[in-house]
Amino acid sequence: MQEDRFYILVSKKMYGKLTAEEAEELALYFTISPNYLEIYQQLSGQLNTTDTSDVINNDKVLQNLRSKLSSDPTYNVQETATENDVKETFWKRYRRPIVKSSFFALVFISAFVILFLREKQTIARPVAVSENNVSTRPGSKSQVTLPDGTTVILNADSKLTYPDNFLGETREVSLEGEAYFNVTHNKKKPFIIHTKAMDIKVLGTVFNVKAYPQESTSEATLIKGSIEVTLTSHSNEKIMLKPSEKITVSNLPLLKKQNEKPKMGINAEPATEETPLVMLDHVSEDKKENIYSEIGWTQNKLMFKNESFDEIVKTMEHWYGCNIEVKSDKLKLQKFTGNFTEESCMQVLQALQLSYNFSFKKENNNIIIY
């Protein structure tokens, strides 16, 4: 019986013959019920622990208990008491406490199991990952270092969303506007930028992404490394870029679906929802500035290389934080080239007038060109 085993362990403990495994077993009795601890305390106060016998026989243990307990008037055990008498005497005295303690032990174990299962569910529950948003106003820039060490320079009027930690098998961020990425290499964990028109997947490289939501095109320029571009409207189409290549994707199908009016639609008009306009170009560094014009903004250089006036106007609106309205459709198609650093918006327009004759006027924060 369970109580017999307990008495044997107590005797071994008192005679110093308890093994490490038996000590753990005895401690379990104390954990299950305080009554076992009370019994042990009472017995240890009465028994003589000077017996140094090397071998303990279970029958001898019971005999010792019977002998020692005979001195306790509570038990009234005769010298000739049998082993069953000893068991019966213990059972009569401790039956109710043991039954009561067994009930509480069952409640304790049940509560432990319930708490364990709840804790297991808590551990298994997915950890919520909070998002960080970095935004820039028109005319301003910002730089941020992501949790993996990737550095991002955010251009004017842009927004970058990224998690506190890159959990899982990928590193994913979302971009609205323009940003220059220097991605920390991690072959096992691709870095993915989500934009309105395309998703860009990289392992570790340097590139520029321009993806303003309401503009007619989005583009990505690869400086070094490699990137894989997937079109949002055609997810089965993947395009690999090599260094010094730029991809331009029309936003017109997406804008049309969302009933948004693009700010510039001249070059994107041939695109349809079924066949988006995609252009792949080779780019080169500006010989004078020794930098790609597409990333000149990272060094506070406003650079145009054979760009339409319509595109230049949009860039200037973000750069200077102003509103520019072009009245002449013919002027929108004209191409311009130029580099500017500290010039004001009005000074840039005056410089562009040298290439093509046009007039402009300023009304509050609005500039009208005709």
Side-chain angles (χ1 to χ4, degrees):
M1 294 178 63
Q2 182 178 1
E3 55 268 30
D4 288 345
R5 177 63 178 165
F6 169 73
Y7 300 144
I8 292 172
L9 293 173
V10 169
S11 296
K12 286 189 174 185
K13 170 70 174 176
M14 294 176 180
Y15 285 98
K17 301 298 182 179
L18 200 65
T19 65
E21 291 77 12
E22 290 172 337
E24 294 178 358
E25 184 180 355
L26 180 60
L28 181 61
Y29 278 92
F30 297 153
T31 303
I32 292 176
S33 172
N35 289 303
Y36 282 118
L37 180 59
E38 180 184 354
I39 294 171
Y40 167 75
Q41 291 173 340
Q42 291 183 7
L43 293 176
S44 62
Q46 297 180 44
L47 295 180
N48 183 359
T49 60
T50 59
D51 187 351
T52 59
S53 176
D54 292 332
V55 180
I56 293 184
N57 181 275
N58 287 349
D59 293 335
K60 184 179 179 181
V61 170
L62 291 175
Q63 182 64 32
N64 288 337
L65 283 173
R66 181 181 60 193
S67 175
K68 298 298 181 181
L69 291 173
S70 64
S71 62
D72 187 347
T74 307
Y75 293 93
N76 191 25
V77 181
Q78 301 294 328
E79 284 294 333
T80 58
T82 65
E83 182 176 308
N84 289 335
D85 293 333
V86 176
K87 294 179 182 179
E88 183 179 357
T89 301
F90 274 108
W91 179 245
K92 284 181 179 180
R93 182 174 184 183
Y94 293 105
R95 176 178 58 191
R96 293 184 63 185
I98 290 176
V99 171
K100 183 178 180 181
S101 64
S102 298
F103 169 77
F104 284 107
L106 180 61
V107 173
F108 171 79
I109 294 172
S110 300
F112 177 80
V113 171
I114 293 173
L115 290 174
F116 174 78
L117 293 176
R118 286 183 178 178
E119 181 67 19
K120 187 175 181 181
Q121 291 177 352
T122 302
I123 294 174
R125 188 179 299 120
V127 179
V129 179
S130 59
E131 289 188 340
N132 298 288
N133 295 305
V134 179
S135 301
T136 54
R137 298 188 303 271
S140 66
K141 302 179 187 66
S142 180
Q143 181 169 331
V144 60
T145 301
L146 303 186
D148 65 335
T150 293
T151 57
V152 183
I153 304 176
L154 207 59
N155 202 354
D157 199 16
S158 301
K159 177 182 177 182
L160 178 71
T161 302
Y162 65 95
D164 281 336
N165 292 290
F166 289 122
L167 304 177
E169 298 179 351
T170 58
R171 299 168 287 168
E172 301 188 37
V173 302
S174 297
L175 173 67
E176 295 181 4
E178 186 170 16
Y180 174 85
F181 292 86
N182 191 340
V183 178
T184 299
H185 183 80
N186 188 338
K187 186 177 180 179
K188 296 181 179 179
K189 203 170 218 180
F191 192 96
I192 301 174
I193 302 99
H194 298 287
T195 71
K196 200 169 189 178
M198 58 185 170
D199 294 332
I200 302 168
K201 180 180 178 181
V202 303
L203 298 178
T205 187
V206 179
F207 59 100
N208 190 78
V209 180
K210 186 177 182 182
Y212 288 98
Q214 292 186 348
E215 293 186 3
S216 64
T217 60
S218 295
E219 62 184 49
T221 304
L222 180 61
I223 308 303
K224 65 178 180 179
S226 63
I227 61 177
E228 178 186 273
V229 178
T230 303
L231 305 180
T232 303
S233 57
H234 289 65
S235 58
N236 59 330
E237 298 182 18
K238 300 183 185 301
I239 303 171
M240 297 297 299
L241 261 65
K242 298 177 182 179
S244 300
E245 287 185 339
K246 178 172 74 172
I247 185 173
T248 303
V249 180
S250 172
N251 292 340
L252 188 59
L254 299 173
L255 295 171
K256 189 175 181 181
K257 285 181 180 179
Q258 299 173 13
N259 296 319
E260 295 180 5
K261 185 178 180 181
K263 291 185 177 181
M264 188 281 291
I266 296 176
N267 295 331
E269 286 178 356
T272 65
E273 293 184 15
E274 292 74 24
T275 309
L277 178 63
V278 178
M279 294 181 292
L280 192 62
D281 299 320
H282 183 82
V283 296
S284 58
E285 291 186 347
D286 184 280
K287 293 181 180 181
K288 182 179 179 180
E289 301 292 343
N290 197 29
I291 191 174
Y292 292 96
S293 60
E294 286 78 8
I295 62 172
W297 64 270
T298 63
Q299 298 184 13
N300 293 320
K301 299 179 185 297
L302 187 60
M303 302 175 66
F304 308 121
K305 185 177 181 180
N306 197 33
E307 290 188 34
S308 69
F309 193 72
D310 207 5
E311 288 290 340
I312 292 174
V313 164
K314 291 198 306 295
T315 300
M316 292 178 64
E317 286 181 322
H318 298 306
W319 189 274
Y320 293 108
C322 60
N323 298 316
I324 302 175
E325 181 181 358
V326 182
K327 296 289 188 179
S328 172
D329 291 336
K330 185 177 180 180
L331 176 59
K332 291 180 182 179
L333 299 174
Q334 298 301 314
K335 302 288 185 177
F336 294 83
T337 297
N339 299 334
F340 305 92
T341 303
E342 298 179 353
E343 290 81 356
S344 67
C345 181
M346 305 302 287
Q347 289 173 329
V348 172
L349 290 176
Q350 291 171 355
L352 295 177
Q353 280 182 316
L354 300 177
S355 300
Y356 189 88
N357 187 27
F358 61 86
S359 300
F360 63 90
K361 61 181 179 180
K362 185 175 182 181
E363 296 178 355
N364 298 323
N365 197 41
N366 298 317
I367 299 174
I368 301 175
I369 300 174
Y370 51 93

